[in-house]
Amino acid sequence: MAIFPQTRTAEPLLPPDAWTGPRPVVRRLPSLRHIGPNWYASVMGTAIVASAGAALPVDVPGLRGACTVVWALSAVLLAAVLAARAGHWLHHRDQARAHLLDPAVAPFYGCLAMALVAVGGATLTVGADVIGVRAALAVDVVLFIAGTAVGLVAAVVVPYLMVVRHRPAPGTASPVWLLPLVAPMVSASQGALLVPHLAAGQAREALLLACYAMFGLSLLATLVVLPLVFARLVHHGPLPLALTPTLFLVLGPLGQSTTAVNQLADAAPGAVAGPYASAFGAFAVLYGVPVMGFALLWLALAGAMVLRATRDGMRFAMTWWAFTFPVGTCVTGAAGLARHTGLDALTWLAVALYVFLVVAWAVAGARTVGGVVSGALTAAPAPPGAATARTR
């Protein structure tokens, strides 16, 4: 994965004898060869700004309208990245296959699933104000089905490749490994929004329990990988500077699972029998509060590591998008807990995390636009030794 790409000088498009005066500056269009699946992180990070803003348990004048604009931007970004990735597979299949066989890049295929589901959920919660509930529901259903299918495939295929092809060395576990595993958790939380739209009976109950199954799938897989990540940090020291922001990815399964149990608890009445619905409501609080506590602990640890990396000269990379979606899931998780407990402290926690999310999204977005315009983010990766990341 290109972390510190180098900028290539554009070559003239005219033969040497076709121009006798000063040679004009000709810019090439951004190359699709080095547009990897990690670019879907920008879609996820944008969609969660809209969804999290709509979920806040406070009434902020103008926030709903701003979230609608951000939702529209996320939809445009999704279409653009899907088109770019389709062009990548069509014209650069060798590079696409190399990405699948690269243990640093393959986990990012989970981002495709999360981008589809996240934009679908934002369409139903925010976009319905613009396109209507019926159209928003149709869009969400299509994106949810596609994203869930991709997510479940990625959750199996990527670990399979890691075992039989990647064979990562001991002590190289990365938070990036969580990406294909957390995708079903995103489907679990967003699927809860669709439960009330199904007819009462078998279909509604089946979707609710399927979402709980995806919750369990993702949670247990995370519990397998997270100790490997922490062991890597303890025994081998901090991550390379450019990868340090990926520590925030651990917040993804924590915040998203808290969001999932709260939204599923909201959807349970009318889908399952009364005793089970009450149990799911209690489980949302009994599970969510301890996990949110651990999420805040990890946020403090990851934040300290990022401050250290910044002091040591950490430069912008696409990994900065890790500051957005995982934090957004903590916003929606805290908002769900505030809704079920009535605690003002959880309300203000959600607001504080949302402020952080918006700032992080604005910074990452501005730096990404600048990198695309300059060509730095779409250029070939620098050769080994051209740019190094210190790990002391």
Side-chain angles (χ1 to χ4, degrees):
M1 179 176 59
I3 298 300
F4 292 114
Q6 64 180 359
T7 304
R8 295 173 293 183
T9 304
E11 299 174 357
L13 300 181
L14 298 174
D17 57 349
W19 182 259
T20 58
R23 192 172 299 278
V25 177
V26 180
R27 294 184 180 273
R28 289 184 182 274
L29 293 175
S31 172
L32 299 180
R33 181 170 181 81
H34 305 289
I35 302 293
N38 57 324
W39 282 75
Y40 287 113
S42 63
V43 181
M44 298 159 49
T46 302
I48 197 67
V49 172
S51 297
L56 286 178
V58 293
D59 185 15
V60 179
L63 178 60
R64 184 78 180 186
C67 289
T68 302
V69 173
V70 175
W71 158 75
L73 177 59
S74 72
V76 172
L77 279 175
L78 176 62
V81 178
L82 283 173
R85 288 290 297 157
H88 175 86
W89 270 96
L90 182 63
H91 300 292
H92 305 286
R93 293 183 182 177
D94 60 323
Q95 185 76 353
R97 295 191 189 98
H99 283 167
L100 278 174
L101 298 180
D102 187 342
V105 181
F108 283 98
Y109 274 91
C111 291
L112 166 58
M114 291 185 280
L116 292 169
V117 176
V119 172
T123 301
L124 186 58
T125 56
V126 179
D129 295 347
V130 178
I131 64 176
V133 174
R134 179 173 296 183
L137 179 61
V139 170
D140 189 22
V141 168
V142 171
L143 293 181
F144 174 78
I145 293 174
T148 300
V150 172
L152 292 174
V153 170
V156 175
V157 171
V158 174
Y160 174 83
L161 290 175
M162 292 177 67
V163 172
V164 302
R165 296 297 299 271
H166 298 162
R167 299 289 183 88
T172 60
S174 166
V176 171
W177 291 7
L178 293 169
L179 289 173
L181 305 178
V182 75
M185 187 70 80
V186 179
S187 292
S189 64
Q190 298 302 318
L193 302 177
L194 295 174
V195 170
H197 293 278
L198 292 176
Q202 289 285 318
R204 185 180 292 183
E205 182 177 0
L207 178 57
L208 180 76
L209 296 184
C211 288
Y212 271 109
M214 289 189 288
F215 162 84
L217 178 161
S218 181
L219 176 63
L220 295 178
T222 297
L223 293 178
V224 171
V225 173
L226 187 54
L228 301 178
V229 174
F230 189 69
R232 184 247 175 98
L233 295 174
V234 171
H235 295 296
H236 298 275
L239 297 177
L241 296 185
L243 294 180
T244 301
T246 63
L247 289 172
F248 274 66
L249 294 177
V250 175
L251 297 175
L254 303 176
Q256 196 68 70
S257 63
T258 303
T259 302
V261 293
N262 279 276
Q263 293 189 168
L264 288 169
D266 291 337
V272 293
Y276 292 107
S278 299
F280 287 149
F283 178 67
V285 177
L286 294 176
Y287 172 88
V289 171
V291 171
M292 185 57 63
F294 180 67
L296 294 177
L297 170 64
W298 191 271
L299 177 61
L301 174 63
M305 298 297 290
V306 168
L307 290 177
R308 177 185 182 277
T310 302
R311 182 195 64 199
D312 287 349
M314 182 180 70
R315 299 167 55 193
F316 174 74
M318 288 297 288
T319 52
W320 282 30
W321 282 99
F323 297 138
T324 58
F325 189 81
V327 174
T329 66
C330 292
V331 174
T332 53
L337 288 173
R339 188 170 62 251
H340 284 106
T341 63
L343 282 178
D344 291 339
L346 289 170
T347 297
W348 291 112
L349 173 61
V351 171
L353 291 173
Y354 187 70
V355 171
F356 178 92
L357 168 64
V358 171
V359 172
W361 171 74
V363 173
R367 299 296 294 272
T368 300
V369 171
V372 171
V373 171
S374 68
L377 291 178
T378 56
T388 59
R390 292 177 293 152
T391 60
R392 66 176 180 82

